[in-house]
Amino acid sequence: MRFDKTEISLAAVAIACVLFGFVSPGWLIFLMTIAFAKALVVQGVVMQMRSGLVSFGQGLFYCIGGYTVGMGGQFFGIHDAIAALALGVLVAIVVAMILGLLLTRYRDIFFAMLSLAFSMILFGILVKSQSLGSTDGFNVHNWTVFGWAPEVGAGSQQTVFTMTVLSGLVIAVLIHRYTKAGIGVICEAIRENEVRVEYLGLSPRWVLYGNYVAAASVSALGGGLTALATGHVDPEMAYWTTSGEFIFIALLGGLGHVAAPFIAAIVFSVVRTYAIEFVPHTWQMILGFTLLGVIVFLPKGLWSLVSREKSGERA
Amino acid sequence: MKNNKSNFSKYLVSGVAALALSAGLASGASAAENGKFRVGIVTFLSGPAAGPFGVPSANAAKVLVEALNKGDVPAPYNKMGINGLEIEAVIIDEAGGATKQVEEYRNLVQRQKVDAVIGYVSSGDCLAIAPVAEELKTFTIAYDCGTPRLFADNADAQYMFRTGLDASVDNIGAARYLAATRPDVTRLSGIQQNYSWGQDSWADFTAAAAKLLPDAEIVEEQFPKIYQGQYGAEISALSVKRPEILHSSFWGGDMEALVLQANARGLLEDATGLLTCGEASFANYKDQAPNGMIIGARGPFGAFAPNNELNTWFKGVYNAAYDLDPVYPATKMVQAILGLKFAAENAGVADKEIPTAEQLASGIKGATFESVSGTVEMARANGHQAMQGITYGQYHYEDGKASIVNAVSFDGECVTPPEGVDAATWISEGFPGATCN
Amino acid sequence: MTSLLAVLIDGSIYASWLFLVAAGLTVIYGVMRILNMAHGSFYAIGAYSAASLVGWYFNNGVGPAWISYLLLVGAALVAGLIVGVIVERGLLRLMYGRDEILMVIITYALLLILEDTMKIVWGVSPYFAYQPYSELGRTSLGLLKVSNYDLALVGVSALLGLGLWAWLERTNQGKVLRAMIHDREISVAMGVNVRLMFTITFVLGTTLGALAGALTAPAISVVPGIGIEVIVLAFAVVVIGGLGSIGGAAVGALLVGLSRAAAVHYAPEFELFVIYGVMSLVLAFRPEGLFGRTLARKI
């Protein structure tokens, strides 16, 4: 296998992050774990945005990933974190394969609303499930990695962080290759003009279907990692405001590069944390202005800060 | 294909920038160790729970901390601050869900270096925080959330305490109040918000009513979505079943809207309302709630708090600051802060020394302390859970003034399951060992 | 029998409320292609303005009660007008021509800002304006007692719907708007003043949203967050009916309102799913909504 420069630099940054994890304080590791895990969900949103579809219900798969990991440990005796994560991804793929059959017939706002509806239906089911703690959810603990149980506290936090960074790296490399490969390019072509893609003899619907399922699996992984890191799952993961947050982060980063969601997720968490600390009564307003500012001044997201130099070269 | 040449440098730039940013944050965050006792206070400052619960609690915390720092609070809390140290309160918003709250809790403890955390209205947040408190070994008081699962799921908790009562007490108390004042009712109904709080409350109430009012039947139950605000169809569905009692664990705007609508449509004339959280909107009903509506305060709090010296003092300063009487969430916040102060000063450390989390925990575990609501015994869940009585009474509005009549109190031992027994079992066995006056 | 009657009455009342909330959203979308996430905030602003004005009126005066109904509507009109003009001129005007989805996100940012702005202006304590609600009394239909205010709301909502329809179908301005809904490019080419029409449409939409809030305020407790709750409901109604169609919004509202009332009376355990269930079903068979038009695919 040959790695291109982007992949090598991704790996370098990932290793740097893991090493950084050993020296940084606990709150920062946690913040970065959650940010990276959410960034994986955002990758799912971005994958669909590249093909012109905006999912207002990506929380569905985030929640499926989280609940599968939680229920695996709580009810089915699956304590191995890797197995639980894999199961979460698998469940998400199965659900996505079914829902995708219907959803890929829709575009624009109809796709957005229908994906939202499915996510809200899951929310409703979970709220009704008193054995799963209804809206209170339940705790996720006592997990192991290949039979090894990290010590509670710093040890398990470190483990989740490393797992998240490594999954992030693997997914980022895969997505990077995917966007460069034929199918990824076709997705962008579908966004630009679906009819012309049909004229080329391709079926946009099945391309979108594949893309939808792939995006679901990535998002479920993010949900599972969040559950492990937080130690708790609740139905709010499927609520529409959670999905709104993912779109927020996706736009913050922009579609320009596979690394953008990771950076955007960190920036989002940091802005929110400090907004909550310094203006506890009006932190949402700060988020709103940040979003507007990015849209007005950086229409291609934060990533355009990094790639500006390059577009200058071209011009 | 894109030019890959600049990719690597680009990566390096962004990676280094991100790490530098984080490192900058890490170093900039050493506001702690300034010789003050830092308390993180977490409650709703935005969203629908801010008005009824969060802001009254935060306001109560502000006046109390100010008074404690001046040493103005009556005995036994007349020592300045906490153990002679000035208190610094860091107030943050509870809105945003459990994942965010875990993140903010870690920030409070590890970045802001608070010495203790008091907070949490939402049961989901309490359940998510409890294991983290143990992990970070931080003394934490849950001041309002009601889920019985808090200590059932975290049986070996060392650092988590709760100075408020568990929600099953509300509903056992409600059923006992009915049995004491309306023993002949036969047709019960309920309307609850469709989430854990409403579902659990209704389960406890119906189980307790089945034992205490054996002749009564449940004629209708409704579970509208939380924050729905409009209950037209639900009120019709309830009305046609002609209930005598309408039990509801609604709170805040939902509860006020329900009372307005059900009263306008005659449901509250035909059936007596029983609102377990009703006291929190005591000042808002005016003539829109019928006289005789039964309200509770989730314990001896708010308008049901006794007239002891501490409470009289607190009502005075709260009223002077906000021109309102404190409602139950305000009383509960004060109780939690007094609990923390008691824990610190009972921990056996020297004056002006900050006790460790272990010392704080040993200072309050199983202890008995005085509060605005009377005497609090930390008598359940291995000394981590407060036990107190509960009072219900009827709303009465006359000549522009609201008051409570026919109040009946039940002792802690009468409404609280014995140590180690969960509420559902205790109720279904017919309250063995309950001692009621 | 009683419960069937109750379903019809409750369903119509709820539907008329849904229509009030959704009308402004669908007008704005139809003309401007902006799915306005901040619509719920306009609703909340209307509710707060009305509740604070009516509350003030009853606390300070002994004037006749009927004036409070005028105040209710007046507060909504003024609030909707002011906020609409500020938002359209100050923010959206700078953003026209961007991607439809980006416009959704812009209005999402607006929602975050407006929610906190309301908190700064009105605080978090509840506001009440119950006098107009209780003043009208109630009507007894057997066991069922119905609030006259709610019944009046059905009438108001129907009148408003007819008015909107007549305006769109019978006036010149309405015709121009319909032309813009059908094909914006051609209407621009024909010399329609798009900027002006956009301002008119947006202000109309926000005023409708504010009016919905103001008319709801007497029956509820006006607290933070009420706007957030109506967004998804309004979206669902509009999507079911077909985006941009007033008639569609009315039918969508009736469908959701009646299904919900039926669920509450006959199958309460499904109440939580009704709206999304109806939406999924409708979209499964009519992908553009009930009255949506299938757009010609452009190459």
Side-chain angles (χ1 to χ4, degrees), chain A residues 49 52 54 56 102 105-106 108-110 112-114 116-118 120-125 127-128 193-196 198-199 239-241 244-245 247-248 251 280-289 291-292 295-296 299, chain C residues 29 35 37 91 95 98 100-102 104-106 108-113 115-117 119-120 228-229 231-232 235-236 239 242-243 268-273 276-277 279-280 282-289 297-299:
Chain A
M49 274 186 181
V54 178
F56 269 51
L102 181 71
R105 289 168 52 202
Y106 299 86
D108 304 330
I109 205 67
F110 295 97
M113 288 307 290
L114 209 52
L116 180 143
F118 286 127
M120 291 300 288
I121 287 174
L122 177 68
F123 174 78
I125 293 172
V127 168
K128 291 267 180 189
N193 195 320
E194 192 172 335
V195 180
R196 288 188 189 175
E198 272 178 36
Y199 284 1
Y239 201 65
W240 69 271
T241 47
E245 194 179 298
I247 301 178
F248 189 127
L251 286 169
H281 290 273
T282 48
W283 57 275
Q284 296 191 70
M285 190 185 269
I286 305 287
L287 288 187
F289 278 119
L291 189 55
L292 275 187
I295 291 170
V296 174
Chain C
Y29 183 83
L35 195 65
M37 296 277 281
L91 174 67
M95 307 284 181
R98 302 215 185 192
E100 221 175 273
I101 290 296
L102 202 61
V104 177
I105 309 300
I106 290 168
Y108 178 66
L110 183 62
L111 164 128
L112 292 174
I113 295 169
E115 284 299 308
D116 274 351
T117 311
K119 218 162 68 174
I120 293 170
I228 308 277
E229 294 305 310
I231 302 169
V232 175
F235 273 24
V239 167
L243 282 157
E269 59 272 29
F270 293 112
E271 190 270 325
L272 212 53
F273 307 101
Y276 304 105
M279 183 159 94
S280 310
V282 168
L283 288 188
F285 294 103
R286 298 264 324 172
E288 308 284 331
R297 304 210 297 173
K298 291 177 189 167
I299 297 172

Side-chain angles (χ1 to χ4, degrees), chain A residues 24 32 35 39 64 72 80 92 97 101 144 146-147 168 189 216 223-224 239-240 246 261 277 303 313:
Chain A
S24 60
M32 283 171 59
I64 286 178
D80 189 80
M97 284 174 83
L101 291 175
T144 58
F146 300 126
Y239 201 65
W240 69 271
F246 296 138
E277 183 182 334
W303 187 255
E313 265 170 42

Side-chain angles (χ1 to χ4, degrees), chain A residues 181-247:
Chain A
I183 182 165
V185 179
I186 295 168
C187 279
E188 296 211 23
I190 291 174
R191 181 182 66 191
E192 295 301 327
N193 195 320
E194 192 172 335
V195 180
R196 288 188 189 175
V197 173
E198 272 178 36
Y199 284 1
L200 293 174
L202 296 161
S203 164
R205 194 175 157 200
W206 291 109
V207 173
L208 291 178
Y209 182 76
N211 195 43
Y212 177 78
V213 175
S217 64
V218 174
S219 298
L221 184 60
L225 288 166
T226 308
L228 290 178
T230 320
H232 187 81
V233 288
D234 61 41
E236 185 129 347
M237 295 174 90
Y239 201 65
W240 69 271
T241 47
T242 310
S243 303
E245 194 179 298
F246 296 138
I247 301 178

Side-chain angles (χ1 to χ4, degrees), chain B residues 44-78:
Chain B
F44 284 99
L45 302 177
S46 59
F53 303 145
V55 170
S57 308
N59 284 345
K62 279 180 210 153
V63 289
L64 180 65
V65 166
E66 200 177 307
L68 281 172
N69 282 341
K70 286 191 205 141
D72 283 352
V73 184
Y77 298 106
N78 45 3

Side-chain angles (χ1 to χ4, degrees), chain A residues 28-207:
Chain A
L28 188 57
I29 299 181
F30 187 78
L31 185 146
M32 283 171 59
T33 312
I34 296 292
F36 283 145
K38 278 189 178 162
L40 285 177
V41 190
V42 175
Q43 293 286 9
V45 175
V46 169
M47 282 167 78
Q48 294 176 76
M49 274 186 181
R50 285 215 179 89
S51 65
L53 295 178
V54 178
S55 169
F56 269 51
Q58 206 62 16
L60 174 69
F61 300 110
Y62 175 64
C63 184
I64 286 178
Y67 264 73
T68 316
V69 167
M71 286 164 70
Q74 198 92 332
F75 302 103
F76 306 122
I78 302 172
H79 290 290
D80 189 80
I82 311 278
L85 286 171
L87 186 67
V89 171
L90 194 70
V91 174
I93 288 177
V94 172
V95 173
M97 284 174 83
I98 299 166
L99 295 183
L101 291 175
L102 181 71
L103 276 167
T104 47
R105 289 168 52 202
Y106 299 86
R107 300 292 177 270
D108 304 330
I109 205 67
F110 295 97
F111 176 83
M113 288 307 290
L114 209 52
S115 57
L116 180 143
F118 286 127
S119 177
M120 291 300 288
I121 287 174
L122 177 68
F123 174 78
I125 293 172
L126 292 176
V127 168
K128 291 267 180 189
S129 308
Q130 272 165 281
S131 54
L132 294 180
S134 184
T135 43
D136 286 349
F138 55 90
N139 287 345
V140 180
H141 43 65
N142 297 333
W143 46 271
T144 58
V145 183
F146 300 126
W148 168 71
E151 56 164 321
V152 175
S156 68
Q157 215 186 348
Q158 198 72 54
T159 314
V160 183
F161 179 63
T162 309
M163 265 162 47
T164 310
V165 172
L166 294 182
S167 338
L169 173 64
V170 172
I171 297 292
V173 169
L174 288 177
I175 290 179
H176 175 67
R177 298 200 162 189
Y178 180 83
T179 47
K180 294 275 176 284
I183 182 165
V185 179
I186 295 168
C187 279
E188 296 211 23
I190 291 174
R191 181 182 66 191
E192 295 301 327
N193 195 320
E194 192 172 335
V195 180
R196 288 188 189 175
V197 173
E198 272 178 36
Y199 284 1
L200 293 174
L202 296 161
S203 164
R205 194 175 157 200
W206 291 109
V207 173

